[in-house]
Amino acid sequence: MGAAVADTAALPGEPVAVHETFALFHRTQTVPGALPGPVLKQARRCLIDLVGVAAAGSRTELAVLIAAHAATQFGAGTNPATILFDAGARKASPAGAALAGGMTIDAIDAHDGHPLTKGHAGCGLFPALLAIAETEAPDMPLDEFLAHLTIGYEIAIRCGIALHATAPDYHTSGAWVAVGVALSGALMTGANSEIVRHAAGIAEYHGPRSQMMRCIDHPTMLKDGSGWGAMAGVSALMLARSGFTGAPALTVEEAAVTGIWSDLGTRWRIMEQYLKPWPVCRWAQPAVEAALDLRSAHGVASDTIGRVRVRSFHEAIRLATARPADTEQAQYALPFPVAAALVHGRLGVAQISGEGLRDATVLDLAERVELSESAAFNDLFPAERWAEVELELTGGRVLASKPLTARGDADAPLSDAEISSKFHALMDEAGYGDRATRIEDMMMAGAATPATVSDLVACCSASS
């Protein structure tokens, strides 16, 4: 796999031991049957979830705009890649398809994440690695692709933890996803250790170190930078293969992060992933969970609620939008999704988009949601995200939840049935319900139903 590459100048110093570890890890874990059973199952769960979110995201204005941009500005050339669920069934270069795919998934904030990265690896990894595999190894067995995706998670998550440990600003996921894509993509295409090292260095230098809290305070289509990071990672790999040189990636090679990489292959970070029950920022989900618990336990009708009080950690309280103008603002909000959940008894894509944004009952209740910060919850963030909710009823009675985290964390995972239900609901809402069972069977069955990268691409094409 992979095209011939030009001679590449050596980076300063000798490649550190972690690069040798990458190569060994890749060789041992891509052998059929090598991944531990629970790890492979978790990769399948993450993949099916990402596909469902991509389908739902493709119906947003953000996705329509970015797909058109990728198709027109990132020329497909002689070896084009599919743009995920693009209504026009257009193609682009692998970097363009990675950009569009990452932003399409990010358009609906329902994808998986890792608490210590405060962000999302799969959102950028999946479309980037799929675009590379489609153009260079379309006959790759799906289980082999899953192994590469799993390795991508292990590398990208550690890149994210390392960046947060060494950089003072809170950067979007794209900053470290770029390095994860470059490294795992290089390994997947059989690049030598020198090219792997240059690809990581280029990706880290050019990855989008955008400030996450600016997007929290001013939600727009910028989102979490995942698509831009996916594009930067693919571009870094292609550049390194052509002879372009880069500086050492500090999130991989700096002495201060050695411990983060020391357990590669023994500690499976993908098992620490959360999968979301609701399509909004993870920081808002504990409050949504607490509100729904109170509604269910006490049979509360929304028209009997006078005020809602939410206590959570600082970053969650920054999600203060009560009257979102668009789906981006609705996803990076706390009062609005809490109110929508209390009114409708659920929180799906319909509640944070389209007519759901103009629901007068929800908007009225959202204006009566009061937010406050808890020092105790601040101390637990980011490893744990907590909230508690009080409902003050119009008659004066106060119903108080216990402190809660949202379901879907590693210690309270969504069941396979819940993930399946979420997947089918997302596919149905996106208009792809007729293929959902076929996709689910292919992804979850494994070797019993052999499939290839081409089969996966076909499932993620609007023209399938």
Side-chain angles (χ1 to χ4, degrees):
M1 220 182 133
V5 297
D7 291 336
T8 306
L11 285 165
E14 293 298 318
V16 293
V18 70
H19 289 280
E20 298 171 3
T21 302
F22 289 153
L24 177 61
F25 179 50
H26 177 262
R27 285 197 304 271
T28 57
Q29 297 305 324
T30 52
V31 175
L35 287 176
V39 172
L40 182 58
K41 180 179 179 181
Q42 178 75 334
R44 295 187 194 283
R45 284 159 52 94
C46 290
L47 180 56
I48 195 75
D49 197 62
L50 288 166
V51 171
V53 177
S58 72
R59 292 297 188 254
T60 64
E61 183 183 5
L62 187 164
V64 171
L65 291 173
I66 200 63
H69 177 77
T72 58
Q73 302 301 317
F74 289 77
T78 59
N79 200 12
T82 299
I83 298 175
L84 295 181
F85 293 106
D86 174 43
R90 291 167 292 190
K91 296 200 173 190
S93 68
L99 169 67
M103 293 187 75
T104 294
I105 295 171
D106 214 9
I108 294 292
D109 204 346
H111 47 290
D112 62 17
H114 188 278
L116 296 184
T117 67
K118 296 185 281 188
H120 314 277
C123 179
L125 279 171
F126 165 52
L129 295 183
L130 186 65
I132 296 169
E134 178 189 3
T135 55
E136 300 193 23
D139 295 329
M140 178 189 294
L142 183 55
D143 273 9
E144 182 181 337
F145 178 77
L146 273 165
H148 291 300
L149 182 64
T150 303
I151 290 169
Y153 270 102
E154 295 305 308
I155 292 174
I157 289 170
R158 285 170 173 81
C159 287
I161 295 172
L163 183 61
H164 285 303
T166 56
D169 289 342
Y170 175 10
H171 298 106
T172 58
S173 298
W176 46 271
V177 162
V179 188
V181 165
L183 281 170
S184 55
L187 293 168
M188 184 175 74
T189 55
N192 64 40
S193 60
E194 195 170 276
I195 291 172
V196 171
R197 196 171 182 225
H198 278 287
I202 297 166
E204 184 182 86
Y205 192 84
H206 288 300
R209 291 203 172 189
S210 36
Q211 296 77 39
M212 185 65 209
M213 294 311 295
R214 189 192 307 178
C215 186
I216 295 299
D217 292 336
H218 306 284
T220 66
M221 292 182 183
L222 292 174
K223 304 298 286 286
D224 197 28
S226 297
W228 220 257
M231 178 268 290
V234 173
S235 296
L237 170 59
M238 302 306 178
L239 283 168
R241 284 165 47 168
S242 72
F244 199 94
T245 59
L250 298 184
T251 52
V252 177
E253 299 193 23
E254 195 170 37
V257 303
T258 300
I260 294 171
W261 296 99
S262 63
D263 58 4
L264 188 67
T266 58
R267 177 176 184 174
W268 294 93
R269 292 284 189 178
I270 195 173
M271 301 303 293
E272 301 163 3
Q273 286 276 104
Y274 60 76
L275 286 94
K276 295 181 179 180
W278 323 116
V280 293
C281 179
R282 188 61 173 173
W283 300 345
Q285 300 215 3
V288 171
E289 194 81 30
L292 284 171
D293 273 9
L294 286 175
R295 186 185 191 277
S296 175
H298 299 279
V300 178
S302 62
D303 60 2
T304 68
I305 300 173
R307 292 195 175 278
V308 182
R309 301 185 184 92
V310 176
R311 284 182 292 277
S312 195
F313 52 96
H314 171 78
E315 287 78 2
I317 299 305
R318 294 272 285 272
L319 303 168
T321 302
R323 302 183 72 87
D326 50 42
T327 186
E328 281 73 39
Q329 290 185 7
Q331 291 173 63
Y332 283 138
L334 201 163
F336 183 82
V338 166
L342 286 169
V343 170
H344 296 288
R346 66 182 300 270
L347 188 63
V349 174
Q351 282 73 53
I352 51 101
S353 62
E355 290 301 313
L357 300 174
R358 294 177 284 278
D359 189 315
T361 303
V362 172
L363 292 169
D364 176 66
L365 183 57
E367 294 283 6
R368 290 179 276 124
V369 176
E370 301 171 356
L371 308 179
S372 64
E373 194 171 317
S374 164
F377 296 161
N378 284 342
D379 290 342
L380 295 169
F381 181 79
E384 300 176 29
R385 290 130 301 160
W386 291 82
E388 54 189 3
V389 171
E390 288 182 355
L391 303 182
E392 181 181 321
L393 305 185
T394 51
R397 184 184 177 196
V398 175
L399 305 175
S401 77
K402 59 183 180 181
L404 286 178
T405 57
R407 289 178 302 115
D409 283 345
D411 59 354
L414 298 182
S415 68
D416 290 351
E418 287 176 305
I419 291 174
S420 176
S421 177
K422 174 187 171 184
F423 171 68
H424 281 268
L426 291 173
M427 295 295 285
D428 285 345
E429 286 188 281
Y432 295 111
D434 58 342
R435 69 175 75 170
T437 298
R438 173 166 55 93
I439 294 173
E440 185 175 31
D441 288 346
M442 181 186 75
M443 292 186 185
M444 302 303 288
T449 307
T452 67
V453 162
S454 290
D455 295 322
L456 177 57
V457 169
C459 288
C460 297
S461 169
S463 61
S464 176

